[in-house]
């Protein structure tokens, strides 16, 4: 048995579903799943119901998270076609702005270039007043994070370049996308990107086995696309799960009739670290590659505060099979069930307190902090 200590991981892309979809997840169940996965900070996406698209809704979400979370939580604001940049006066209390330019779960889809101009312009104007937190300042704005696939990648790169706004491209999944991002970085564009474990460890070849549990946005890609992510790993700044829980019934598992439009998305918080440590075991990654992409880079990109006296104890040689049994996510399943992995999270210490040990969450609801809520108080 060999034990190592890692810093608490950041998962920069999770959907904790509150408010509106608490039957899938909430701040309590989702942050328990985070701790079980060695994650001590999550950044929560705005495609809830209602979406986090106004200052009032951000404040309400912060209140819910503060009461229930057992790890630290940052909250994205999101742009809508109808409300535009209504979130702007609360932008400093968000970890970043999320823009969806492709269809996915929820109502947050921007579909005109005119609105994209407005969103990038107003974020740039606000940043001219308050600065960017990602540049090392304690206050200011985070990046614009986009769900942009295929031809939408160059659209977002161009807007980021023209308005000089830091852009973070979520869940890159295709060769064409990662090759373009490499070129953009070589040209000095202010762009960073992330890849999910499911796009690194699954492909279309897994679809017959996974059935509806292999459906997410972006969809699983070809083995050549997966190979491209590994080839261009130096361009991938962040590993993040896109933890997107939906119930088995919603996915159409066990239903007599397939649902008309099953929601895309898969849970991931509890399986990211064992999958990455298995890649270490196989010699495809080293531990420092994980720490860079799950701690240092997300912290820099989003300007996250350090967590003192915080670490994760992992037995890197523990070999076991991932299963649906005992998962903390409310939906109780993983697309990786049945996969043999190495690396078990044994204990998590957050700010000096043991918050997770041997399968049990020990932290009380509300132990987690909601990030950036104080940042504009007293100004
Ligand atoms: C996400 C969800 O369910 O909220 N689904 C997904 O397939 N990834 C939405 C998203 O991030 O696109
Ligand atoms: Zn997502």
């Amino acid at each position: 048995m060999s034990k190592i200590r890692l810093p608490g991981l950041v998962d920069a892309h999770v959907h904790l579903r509150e408010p509106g979809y608490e039957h899938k997840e909430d701040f309590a169940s989702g942050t328990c799943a985070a701790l079980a996965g060695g994650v001590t900070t999550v950044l929560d996406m705005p495609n809830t119901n209602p979406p986090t698209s106004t200052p009032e809704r951000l404040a309400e979400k912060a209140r819910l998270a503060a009461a229930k979370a057992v790890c630290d939580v940052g909250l994205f604001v999101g742009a809508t076609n109808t409300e535009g940049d209504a979130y702007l006066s609360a932008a400093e209390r968000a970890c970043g702005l999320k823009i969806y330019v492709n269809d996915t779960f929820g109502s947050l889809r921007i579909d005109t270039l005119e609105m994209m101009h407005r969103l990038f312009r107003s974020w740039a104007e606000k940043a001219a007043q308050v600065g960017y937190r990602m540049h090392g300042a304690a206050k200011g704005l985070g990046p614009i994070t986009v769900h942009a696939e295929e031809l939408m990648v160059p659209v977002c790169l161009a807007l980021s370049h023209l308005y000089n706004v830091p852009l973070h491209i979520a869940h890159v999944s295709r060769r064409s996308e990662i090759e373009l991002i490499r070129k953009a970085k070589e040209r000095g564009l202010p762009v960073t990107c992330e890849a999910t474990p499911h796009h690194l460890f699954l492909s279309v070849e897994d679809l017959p086995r996974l059935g509806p549990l292999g459906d997410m946005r972006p969809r699983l890609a070809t083995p050549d696309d997966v190979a491209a992510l590994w080839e261009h790993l130096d361009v991938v700044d962040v590993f993040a799960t896109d933890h997107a829980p939906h119930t088995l019934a919603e996915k159409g598992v066990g239903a007599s009739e397939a649902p008309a439009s099953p929601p895309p998305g898969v849970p991931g918080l509890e399986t990211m670290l064992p999958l990455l440590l298995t890649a270490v075991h196989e010699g495809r990654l080293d531990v420092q590659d994980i720490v860079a992409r799950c701690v240092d880079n997300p912290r820099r990109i989003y300007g996250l505060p350090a967590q003192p006296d915080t670490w994760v104890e992992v037995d890197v040689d523990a070999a076991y099979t991932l299963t649906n049994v005992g998962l903390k996510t409310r939906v109780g399943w993983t697309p990786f069930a049945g996969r043999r992995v190495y690396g078990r999270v044994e204990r998590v210490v957050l700010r000096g307190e043991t918050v997770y040990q041997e399968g049990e969450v020990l932290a009380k609801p509300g132990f987690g902090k909601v990030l950036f809520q104080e940042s504009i108080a007293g100004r």
Side-chain angles (χ1 to χ4, degrees):
M1 285 217 297
S2 67
K3 308 268 173 101
I4 62 167
R5 261 188 193 199
L6 296 172
L9 304 192
V10 176
D11 188 342
H13 190 148
V14 304
H15 300 264
L16 298 190
R17 303 298 193 207
E18 201 175 346
Y21 307 108
E22 292 84 349
H23 66 288
K24 303 176 197 272
E25 202 79 287
D26 68 8
F27 283 111
S29 62
T31 55
C32 285
L35 291 182
V39 171
T40 54
T41 305
V42 292
L43 303 185
D44 175 65
M45 289 294 168
N47 63 336
T48 43
N49 189 13
T52 321
S53 50
T54 67
E56 295 71 31
R57 290 178 184 171
L58 183 69
E60 170 63 7
K61 210 182 226 195
R63 200 184 57 71
L64 292 168
K68 293 165 96 168
V70 290
C71 75
D72 293 353
V73 180
L75 302 169
F76 280 92
V77 284
T80 62
N81 282 314
T82 48
E83 295 155 308
D85 52 15
Y87 49 76
L88 210 54
S89 65
E92 290 168 272
R93 275 180 267 189
C95 56
L97 167 63
K98 179 72 183 285
I99 303 179
Y100 291 84
V101 285
N102 297 98
D103 266 333
T104 185
F105 179 69
S107 59
L108 289 172
R109 160 87 196 270
I110 299 300
D111 51 18
T112 65
L113 180 57
E114 184 187 1
M115 183 60 84
M116 291 295 278
H117 272 289
R118 172 166 161 197
L119 300 174
F120 275 80
R121 184 174 57 236
S122 62
W123 200 254
E125 284 170 3
K126 180 93 185 178
Q129 297 160 22
V130 302
Y132 282 113
R133 198 191 290 131
M134 65 181 300
H135 292 164
K139 296 180 178 183
L141 302 189
I144 293 185
T145 294
V146 289
H147 181 134
E149 301 182 36
E150 262 282 324
L151 283 170
M152 284 301 171
V153 174
V155 169
C156 291
L157 282 171
L159 287 161
S160 150
H161 176 59
L162 297 171
Y163 285 101
N164 197 25
V165 169
L167 180 73
H168 182 70
I169 301 181
H171 39 50
V172 175
S173 65
R174 297 179 180 93
R175 177 178 288 281
S176 56
E177 297 166 354
I178 195 72
E179 288 183 352
L180 191 70
I181 294 167
R182 172 176 286 286
K183 288 192 181 304
K185 284 189 172 194
E186 285 167 1
R187 285 292 181 111
L189 266 62
V191 58
T192 53
C193 72
E194 84 197 16
T196 69
H198 48 267
H199 293 117
L200 288 165
F201 297 107
L202 296 172
S203 75
V204 286
E205 294 190 340
D206 295 286
L207 281 174
R209 179 175 62 78
L210 289 170
L213 301 186
D215 182 32
M216 75 291 286
R217 300 293 175 275
R219 293 175 204 275
L220 291 178
T222 67
D224 180 64
D225 291 317
V226 176
L229 295 182
W230 286 93
E231 269 166 45
H232 294 280
L233 211 59
D234 58 324
V235 179
V236 176
D237 301 276
V238 171
F239 296 140
T241 63
D242 192 7
H243 177 83
H246 299 286
T247 66
L248 288 172
E250 289 165 335
K251 289 293 217 179
V253 173
S256 51
E257 248 176 82
S261 48
V266 298
L269 273 164
E270 291 162 87
T271 48
M272 173 164 71
L273 186 54
L275 289 164
L276 294 173
L277 288 170
T278 304
V280 172
H281 187 88
E282 292 165 350
R284 306 170 78 191
L285 282 180
D286 59 40
V287 170
Q288 193 44 45
D289 291 325
I290 300 178
V291 173
R293 289 168 184 75
C294 296
V295 183
D296 302 338
N297 294 345
R299 191 173 281 167
R300 176 177 42 87
I301 290 166
Y302 288 101
L304 306 176
Q307 291 173 317
D309 300 320
T310 298
W311 67 86
V312 180
E313 293 173 10
V314 182
D315 180 350
V316 287
D317 291 329
Y320 60 104
T321 301
L322 293 173
T323 118
N324 293 340
V325 178
L327 292 174
K328 311 276 182 214
T329 175
R330 183 155 292 155
V331 297
W333 62 274
T334 163
F336 294 102
R339 186 177 282 238
R340 198 78 187 143
V341 290
Y342 290 87
R344 190 189 296 279
V345 175
E346 296 198 325
R347 180 167 175 246
V348 180
V349 176
L350 175 55
R351 286 185 280 278
E353 301 267 332
T354 299
V355 288
Y356 175 88
Q357 191 154 24
E358 281 155 29
E360 294 293 317
V361 172
L362 304 174
K364 296 268 176 301
F367 185 75
K369 287 186 178 169
V370 186
L371 304 177
F372 310 128
Q373 296 316 294
E374 68 297 328
S375 64
I376 59 174
R379 239 216 327 244

